[in-house]
Amino acid sequence: MKSQKGRSVEDKYTQWKSLVPVLYDWLANHNLVWPSLSCRWGPQLEQATYKNRQRLYLSEQTDGSVPNTLVIANCEVVKPRVAAAEHIAQFNEEARSPFVKKYKTIIHPGEVNRIRELPQDSKIVATHTDSPDVLIWDVEAQPNRHAVLGATDSRPDLILTGHRENAEFALAMCPTEPFVLSGGKDKLVVLWSIHDHISTLAKEQGPAKSPGSSSTGTKHASKGGGSNENRVNGPSIEARGSYQGHEDTVEDVQFCPSSAQEFCSVGDDSCLILWDARAGSTPTIKVEKAHKADIHCVDWNRHDTNLILTGSADNTIHMFDRRNLSSGGVGSPVHKFAGHSAAVLCVQWSPDKSSVFGSSAEDGILNIWDHEKMGKGQETAGLKAPNAPPGLFFQHAGHRDKVVDFHWNTSDPWTIVSVSDDCESTNGGGTLQIWRMIDLIYRPVDEVLWELDKYKSHILSCEKN
């Protein structure tokens, strides 16, 4: 018998599915045999009349009967105003989508907790696993592997060493320089430059040594679960800098979009810390008690670099303006967004509008917010929400378990890929969804009313004829 919570999730999902033809321009639902804890867009491969083809990075977190994998898929993204409304809601939850095809499998040393692509060259990918190391992969050069029990691990193109304990989730790639940032259980934020290695990554498939690096990533044993048996063989480089200021595990990190030297981090100590590599290895600004609980995620606005988002186990998202922050003080967010009923796992600014961002949580919901709508009494699309939280304007309720990651598509405006770990609701697997809300929801009101009025005039003229 289903619990009350399980029934309410199913009821909300049933209601959501009935509204799909009205609320979405396009939606693809793809059942995953194994859950993926991360999902990221890769490079766009091809543009056609009605759809574009693009790489998608996923993972398979298995039970040990087969190896854990990093998956490179090809995805067909249908263009706006192409899909028929009646078709997008006709999907089987247990089926794979025809729009998502597995292209290559990399056998990953340990489970893949986080995937991040290098913005300057998105075929270069970094992964976090249950070890102190960050692994770098040239996904195009890596051989395709068959994931069967007993198969040897794929060999990373580069290993980044520097953490003293496991670094499992906090991972970022710099938008302006080939820099990598990581945080871990050792309470450290660690920075690497892979500039000298990018051009030679594709040539590092053999036992050859990469210039200026050692031939193995097993330089030292780490504490707290990062023993030698967790370490991976391959060419490695040491950190450019190590930054200490947190008092508990670092959960997420992010670069300032306009500077490779500035970055921020959040952790289980409820702190938001801003760093400047030019100023040394101590915090520039440390916001104590940025939330009332652990902070799981952070993102920095690429359009307005004063704005930083944080998401927490206290179920809220806070927006900070770094011009208002003072070191050592209790941070006062510009806005607090309260629209989730469980811990927030991921926050991300939209690349398409500077005031819009998304948040996903353990409640199975992915919310889309606009901070410019705060206090304007904006209606929420997605589900009936007479008491919609300020700033919330769309609710994606297509997942029935915790939404562990999502990613806006910079090549296809307003298109999002999201993934849920469905182990608690369906005893295994996950759900990948690629979706785009109907443009009438986010376009300027005057523009939408003009278009609807035009359709009204067209319909009335058809009736007269």
Side-chain angles (χ1 to χ4, degrees):
M1 221 176 131
K2 283 197 175 176
S3 65
Q4 188 65 39
K5 182 186 174 187
R7 279 200 301 272
S8 67
V9 169
E10 284 297 328
D11 291 346
K12 188 174 266 194
Y13 177 80
T14 302
Q15 183 188 15
W16 168 81
K17 195 169 182 183
S18 70
L19 293 170
V20 165
V22 181
L23 296 174
Y24 292 83
D25 176 74
W26 180 61
L27 181 135
N29 186 90
H30 185 72
N31 178 263
L32 300 169
V33 177
W34 301 107
S36 177
L37 298 186
S38 201
C39 58
R40 302 293 288 186
W41 292 107
Q44 192 175 76
L45 305 173
E46 183 186 356
Q47 292 188 344
T49 308
Y50 299 111
K51 56 192 175 185
N52 299 325
R53 202 156 56 89
Q54 191 167 352
R55 290 270 195 264
L56 193 60
Y57 303 136
L58 306 165
S59 66
E60 292 174 314
Q61 185 188 30
T62 72
D63 60 1
S65 59
V66 291
N68 292 285
T69 65
L70 173 63
V71 174
I72 295 90
N74 285 340
C75 176
E76 291 183 337
V77 182
V78 175
K79 289 190 173 181
R81 301 199 170 199
V82 167
E86 63 270 20
H87 289 161
I88 60 173
Q90 293 173 357
F91 61 82
N92 176 1
E93 284 80 2
E94 309 307 319
R96 297 181 183 182
S97 169
F99 296 103
V100 180
K101 297 277 196 324
K102 190 181 283 191
Y103 167 73
K104 183 182 283 188
T105 298
I106 293 168
I107 298 180
H108 197 271
E111 62 185 40
V112 182
N113 296 326
R114 192 66 54 97
I115 306 166
R116 291 293 179 263
E117 74 292 343
L118 187 66
Q120 304 92 31
D121 186 355
S122 55
K123 69 178 172 48
I124 306 295
V125 166
T127 56
H128 253 329
T129 184
D130 297 335
S131 92
D133 300 329
V134 178
L135 308 181
I136 303 293
W137 309 87
D138 181 337
V139 296
E140 296 301 321
Q142 281 283 334
N144 188 23
R145 300 289 304 281
H146 189 46
V148 293
L149 186 62
T152 56
D153 292 337
S154 296
R155 185 174 183 262
D157 294 282
L158 197 61
I159 300 163
L160 312 185
T161 65
H163 276 293
R164 300 169 192 164
E165 296 184 38
N166 282 1
E168 296 173 355
F169 291 101
L171 184 62
M173 300 284 242
C174 179
T176 56
E177 297 281 342
F179 288 1
V180 182
L181 197 64
S182 169
K185 289 184 175 179
D186 54 9
K187 308 169 192 173
L188 296 177
V189 174
V190 183
L191 175 70
W192 296 267
S193 169
I194 57 172
H195 188 277
D196 297 337
H197 301 265
I198 287 177
S199 59
T200 58
L201 279 181
K203 300 172 187 173
E204 293 293 331
Q205 294 302 308
K209 218 174 170 184
S210 70
S213 73
S214 77
S215 59
T216 176
T218 56
K219 290 198 198 80
H220 59 270
S222 66
K223 300 173 283 185
S227 61
N228 275 335
E229 66 183 31
N230 282 2
R231 305 198 88 101
V232 184
N233 285 327
S236 68
I237 58 170
E238 294 177 352
R240 181 187 181 105
S242 189
Y243 305 87
Q244 194 156 8
H246 282 284
E247 292 166 24
D248 207 333
T249 300
V250 180
E251 291 285 358
D252 201 10
V253 289
Q254 194 59 253
F255 281 97
C256 174
S258 60
S259 169
Q261 305 298 327
E262 297 175 71
F263 39 92
C264 63
S265 58
V266 293
D268 290 346
D269 55 4
S270 304
C271 292
L272 163 66
I273 299 182
L274 273 60
W275 312 84
D276 189 327
R278 295 162 296 198
S281 59
T282 54
T284 307
I285 294 174
K286 183 174 182 178
V287 182
E288 307 273 1
K289 297 177 184 171
H291 281 267
K292 294 176 182 175
D294 299 0
I295 307 178
H296 290 153
C297 46
V298 64
D299 198 27
W300 206 315
N301 193 319
R302 73 181 75 188
H303 301 287
D304 181 349
T305 55
N306 290 311
L307 301 181
I308 295 170
L309 290 172
T310 56
S312 169
D314 66 11
N315 306 354
T316 69
I317 302 107
H318 289 180
M319 186 176 89
F320 294 93
D321 186 326
R322 63 171 167 167
R323 293 168 295 189
N324 301 343
L325 301 178
S326 58
S327 197
V330 175
S332 277
V334 180
H335 292 304
K336 296 181 181 180
F337 302 88
H340 288 287
S341 60
V344 179
L345 301 177
C346 185
V347 289
Q348 193 181 117
W349 289 102
S350 166
D352 305 304
K353 188 180 179 187
S354 61
S355 58
V356 170
F357 66 91
S359 64
S360 69
E362 290 183 0
D363 58 10
I365 301 295
L366 202 165
N367 285 328
I368 307 296
W369 310 78
D370 187 339
H371 71 77
E372 287 184 348
K373 297 185 188 299
M374 292 292 279
K376 294 185 179 177
Q378 197 72 16
E379 288 183 8
T380 301
L383 295 170
K384 288 180 183 175
N387 303 313
L392 180 66
F393 77 95
F394 191 85
Q395 228 177 29
H396 178 67
H399 294 282
R400 288 172 289 174
D401 213 325
K402 52 184 177 289
V403 184
V404 290
D405 201 11
F406 71 93
H407 193 202
W408 295 88
N409 192 337
T410 55
S411 300
D412 267 290
W414 293 90
T415 304
I416 291 175
V417 59
S418 52
V419 68
S420 58
D421 179 348
D422 299 344
C423 287
E424 288 182 23
S425 59
T426 61
N427 299 318
T431 302
L432 174 84
Q433 292 183 334
I434 305 158
W435 53 277
R436 184 191 309 118
M437 70 180 84
I438 195 164
D439 62 15
L440 299 176
I441 293 170
Y442 59 79
R443 281 166 50 208
V445 174
D446 292 348
E447 194 179 296
V448 170
L449 291 175
W450 178 83
E451 182 175 326
L452 293 175
D453 196 52
K454 189 176 72 170
Y455 279 125
K456 179 183 170 186
S457 302
H458 176 68
I459 291 165
L460 288 173
S461 65
C462 289
E463 285 178 351
K464 287 174 186 173
N465 296 334

